[in-house]
Amino acid sequence: MALLEVDSVSKTWPGAREPVLDSVSFSVEGGGFAVVQGPNGAGKTTLMRIIAGLLDADRGALRISGVESPARRRDFQRQVGMASAGNTGLYARLSAVKNLAFATRIALLERGRRQAAVRESVERFGLGAFAFRRVDRLSMGRRQRVRLALAFLHEPAIVLLDEPATSLDDDGQAVLAEAISRQTGDGGGVVWFGPQGERRPREPDLTLWIAQGALGRR
Amino acid sequence: MTTGIRLSLDGVLGVAQRDASIFFSYRLRAVSQALLALFSVTLFYYVSRLVGSGRFASADAYFAYVVVGLVILHSLAATLAVVPTTIRTELVAGTFERLAISPLGPALGICAMTLFPALAAAVTGALTLAFAVIVFGCRLAGLEAFLALPAGVLAIASFLPFALLVAALVLVSKQAGNLGGLVIIVLSLAGGVYYPPELMPSWIRWVSEVQPFTPALELLRHLLIGSPLSSPGVSAARLAAFAVLATPPAYAVLRAAVSSCRRRGTLVEY
């Protein structure tokens, strides 16, 4: 059984004639690193949002480790981590550590695991020097590290990354590469969404090309 | 308690703790809240000096009447105005996305957003009362005044369905405050905050009968300042019934709004 199964997922925006995603199917095995590429507006972010649970598909099925969404949404969401494109999604008035601590609680981690998860994330993503500083006082690169830490924080089975290297310096890129290696090394999966030609930390196991709502392999 | 419920409660408390951390990150916010309470009490103290209506035995009686109205108004504003604004802020900041993809989920997350404002409103209400008593000599009823605490909790619980409905509307329409503000104004006009609802024309008096705000005011006035109330138990039962019966359908409407936004792709739009 594949770790992530995207099965014939279709989506048409209300009022649109053409579907933004037309029967898209692919799967990611445990330990797999997949890349979904395509031109701007091709539907990459829509596909990622559907997998993440922000958007419902009109048709098709989604499963992670056999858990189907939306039928078992809570169990499904436990297994997904996401870093969307851009630099939003952080509580500006809270420190990096408080952002992480809050995320552990809405991820419904057991009390005993929460502190360890935060501590480990701080270490893994090199947040130590600014962990207790308010997020709105951090540089874009440092904010991006916090955002990435949030995606991996609760040890999800699948991590979805939309243009995750944005604003990262060489050291930040190395941290991201290490996080991906560790995720796949532990049997999890990573799906990287981004435009063609984007620098990535390693060669993917699966490269998918999305254009005009359809998905092809490369 | 099952593990799922325990962890969900913990997530709900996490949201409240987050809201508290953000609130206190603005150093003057708590001070300004306290000053607002003091100024509103001061304003109505001097307005009450002008009151000579036969409806109230004295200017002090009217002042006490309004003070309790202000206490409840804080709670109503906390649930109907603060929560929609928080949702809008989260949508614009992109932080709602984090809640939306979390196992806690957006609907429960929104319910959790009512906790801290309700607590803050209770503190502001207590401060309002304290100022009225200490600075302006407002007299409270005897030991019955302590029953105002559980009655206040009941009152806030009875406002929760309104908060959930307004939150659902904010998710769908992406506009905050307008509806909540309107409901607050209507209830403060027709519900008995500043004057008895009996003074209103008969065609609008029905408003005071169909919502929990007016019974909450009557009950708290009875407990805090000894206003006559034929059956406090019935008022409390009305509040409890409203909370128990109206919250599940209001939560269902909120969930339906979330589902609709997920289908239309507007859940994290702003």
Side-chain angles (χ1 to χ4, degrees), chain B residues 132-227:
Chain B
V133 170
I134 296 165
V135 182
F136 298 105
C138 179
R139 285 192 184 166
L140 293 186
L143 287 174
E144 274 191 345
F146 288 102
L147 288 175
L149 194 63
V153 172
L154 203 56
I156 290 172
S158 71
F159 302 155
L160 182 66
F162 288 109
L164 300 185
L165 292 176
V166 173
L169 198 78
V170 170
L171 276 186
V172 173
S173 71
K174 310 297 173 193
Q175 292 183 58
N178 295 351
L179 184 77
L182 187 68
V183 174
I184 291 169
I185 288 172
V186 169
L187 288 181
S188 55
L189 279 177
V193 175
Y194 307 113
Y195 44 80
E198 301 85 66
L199 291 180
M200 298 292 286
S202 55
W203 60 266
I204 203 173
R205 245 180 265 160
W206 63 270
V207 175
S208 65
E209 298 295 326
V210 295
Q211 35 74 26
F213 187 67
T214 308
L217 276 170
E218 289 169 350
L219 183 61
L220 279 181
R221 281 189 178 122
H222 174 71
L223 295 171
L224 287 170
I225 57 173
S227 297

Side-chain angles (χ1 to χ4, degrees), chain A residues 17 47 64 67 213:
Chain A
R17 284 185 189 168
L47 178 59
I64 297 180
V67 175

Side-chain angles (χ1 to χ4, degrees), chain A:
Chain A
M1 180 172 56
L3 187 65
L4 168 68
E5 296 171 77
V6 177
D7 185 7
S8 307
V9 164
S10 297
K11 182 74 189 172
T12 304
W13 294 119
R17 284 185 189 168
E18 299 297 321
V20 62
L21 296 174
D22 189 8
S23 202
V24 166
S25 298
F26 72 97
S27 60
V28 176
E29 301 296 325
F33 175 49
V35 169
V36 178
Q37 293 180 330
N40 295 340
K44 300 184 295 290
T45 300
T46 301
L47 178 59
M48 189 186 78
R49 286 181 169 185
I50 287 175
I51 300 171
L54 287 173
L55 182 58
D56 279 348
D58 297 335
R59 283 185 304 281
L62 290 170
R63 282 178 288 272
I64 297 180
S65 308
V67 175
E68 191 157 336
S69 179
R72 291 173 60 195
R73 195 182 288 279
R74 176 171 279 194
D75 291 334
F76 186 91
Q77 298 303 142
R78 281 178 195 271
Q79 304 195 62
V80 184
M82 182 185 81
S84 54
N87 60 10
T88 58
L90 296 173
Y91 293 96
R93 303 281 303 184
L94 303 184
S95 67
V97 159
K98 280 194 172 173
N99 269 279
L100 292 167
F102 170 63
T104 61
R105 294 185 82 164
I106 59 172
L108 308 185
L109 293 190
E110 286 284 357
R111 186 185 288 264
R113 263 185 71 197
R114 293 203 304 248
Q115 251 186 336
V118 171
R119 204 170 38 238
E120 200 177 306
S121 284
V122 167
E123 204 174 303
R124 207 166 140 193
F125 288 87
L127 312 180
F130 51 91
F132 293 96
R133 206 175 299 168
R134 251 170 49 188
V135 159
D136 58 356
R137 293 175 179 166
L138 301 181
S139 69
M140 288 299 165
R142 286 179 165 183
R143 285 185 205 185
Q144 183 63 2
R145 285 190 190 213
V146 180
R147 296 175 80 250
L148 290 170
L150 287 166
F152 289 87
L153 179 72
H154 56 292
E155 297 177 359
I158 286 286
V159 176
L160 310 168
L161 303 171
D162 196 358
E163 302 181 22
T166 310
S167 302
L168 293 179
D169 57 14
D170 287 347
D171 191 38
Q173 304 247 9
V175 165
L176 173 60
E178 169 60 25
I180 291 172
S181 291
R182 187 161 158 189
Q183 170 77 7
T184 53
D186 289 346
V190 174
V191 187
W192 176 303
F193 297 80
Q196 198 179 15
E198 198 182 27
R199 184 179 156 192
R200 287 185 296 272
R202 69 174 232 210
E203 280 306 304
D205 306 307
L206 174 69
T207 304
L208 301 157
W209 178 258
I210 190 166
Q212 293 175 326
L215 201 65
R217 280 164 198 265
R218 289 213 154 178

